Amino acid sequence: GGYTCSCAAGYRLNANGRDCDDIDECATQMDCCQGNCSNTAGGYRCSCADGFYLDADGCRCLDIQECSLDNGGCEHTCIEEQGSYRCECRHGYAKDRYNSTQCHDINECHPATNTMISPELVPSKSPCDQRCVNSPGSFQCSCKELFRLRDDGRTCKRCPTCETFTQLESLVITLMEEIRVLRSEVNTLKSQQQPQQQQQLQPNAQPISALGPFPDFDGAQ
């Protein structure tokens, strides 16, 4: 007669044939746990790095798609990365200097007002040569009188013909105002003359069209 010893799953029989030693699965299961393996008594446990989650098979680590949930908390654009994500702002906007998920319009026309974005993202001066109007995510340049905007949309050049045009424009505006005043005076005179004309008519007077018949001058002797 005799006997043999055996061990439970996760253990192996010691060389003495009696004792059971824990098997270090992490030494052979590294490919399964992707390097995040913790040995336990009679088994092992896989864990995943930040930005990943353990698949239902208990082995693979899958990337968490942060952007699929509430746009990752990003105000504008959410970009997936391996094990992480990042927020980006649309053109003409920059990230908040304290909260990278929020975006602020870059005021190109008045750089000093950009207090909520990182200083390195603030333009050093207005991009426009003369006049600048800021708008959400953009800006618009314009020029003073007697100047014209160049093709670059930012700088201005003197316009020789603009002075003549400005004078003509002023003259047209003046003439239109004079015409308006004259028209108003004519309408006033008409309204004053109408009651006087009605008073001068005789009570029994009839319009010429009501008189007749007119004599036949062709047959007169």
Side-chain angles (χ1 to χ4, degrees):
Y3 67 92
T4 57
C5 295
S6 61
C7 299
Y11 294 85
R12 67 166 60 93
L13 192 64
N14 190 277
N16 62 21
R18 295 188 304 273
D19 298 328
C20 292
D21 297 329
D22 176 55
I23 299 173
D24 186 1
E25 291 87 356
C26 292
T28 59
Q29 298 290 337
M30 295 294 287
D31 57 335
C32 175
C33 287
Q34 298 177 344
N36 298 310
C37 181
S38 301
N39 189 61
T40 61
Y44 67 95
R45 181 176 64 254
C46 291
S47 60
C48 300
D50 292 341
F52 296 85
Y53 68 95
L54 193 63
D55 192 27
D57 62 7
C59 178
R60 294 179 301 167
C61 289
L62 304 178
D63 182 42
I64 298 174
Q65 301 295 306
E66 293 90 351
C67 293
S68 63
L69 180 62
D70 194 27
N71 198 40
C74 301
E75 184 177 357
H76 285 181
T77 305
C78 182
I79 300 176
E80 291 285 355
E81 295 182 339
Q82 187 72 7
S84 184
Y85 72 101
R86 73 177 190 274
C87 297
E88 293 294 342
C89 299
R90 294 191 294 268
H91 180 73
Y93 293 81
K95 295 178 185 177
D96 186 281
R97 63 189 305 178
Y98 305 111
N99 186 347
S100 62
T101 65
Q102 296 182 355
C103 297
H104 297 285
D105 171 54
I106 300 174
N107 191 332
E108 295 88 352
C109 300
H110 303 284
T113 63
N114 296 289
T115 58
M116 296 304 295
I117 61 179
S118 299
E120 63 269 16
L121 300 177
V122 177
S124 58
K125 62 178 182 178
S126 171
C128 299
D129 189 17
Q130 292 186 0
R131 294 171 176 168
C132 182
V133 177
N134 187 68
S135 60
S138 185
F139 63 93
Q140 183 70 45
C141 297
S142 61
C143 301
K144 300 176 182 178
E145 292 184 3
L146 307 184
F147 287 86
R148 180 178 296 172
L149 197 64
R150 296 180 187 270
D151 293 338
D152 60 9
R154 299 190 177 195
T155 58
C156 299
K157 63 180 179 180
R158 191 166 187 84
C159 174
T161 60
C162 290
E163 184 173 1
T164 302
F165 176 80
T166 302
Q167 293 174 347
L168 290 174
E169 184 180 30
S170 177
L171 179 60
V172 169
I173 293 175
T174 302
L175 290 175
M176 289 180 65
E177 178 62 19
E178 291 179 355
I179 291 173
R180 187 190 66 80
V181 173
L182 288 173
R183 183 175 295 171
S184 176
E185 292 177 352
V186 169
N187 290 334
T188 301
L189 289 174
K190 284 183 178 180
S191 62
Q192 292 175 351
Q193 291 177 354
Q194 188 173 3
Q196 296 177 0
Q197 292 175 349
Q198 291 178 349
Q199 292 176 2
Q200 292 175 357
L201 291 175
Q202 296 180 7
N204 297 326
Q206 295 182 350
I208 297 177
S209 59
L211 300 176
F214 291 99
D216 185 2
F217 295 99
D218 293 338
Q221 297 296 329

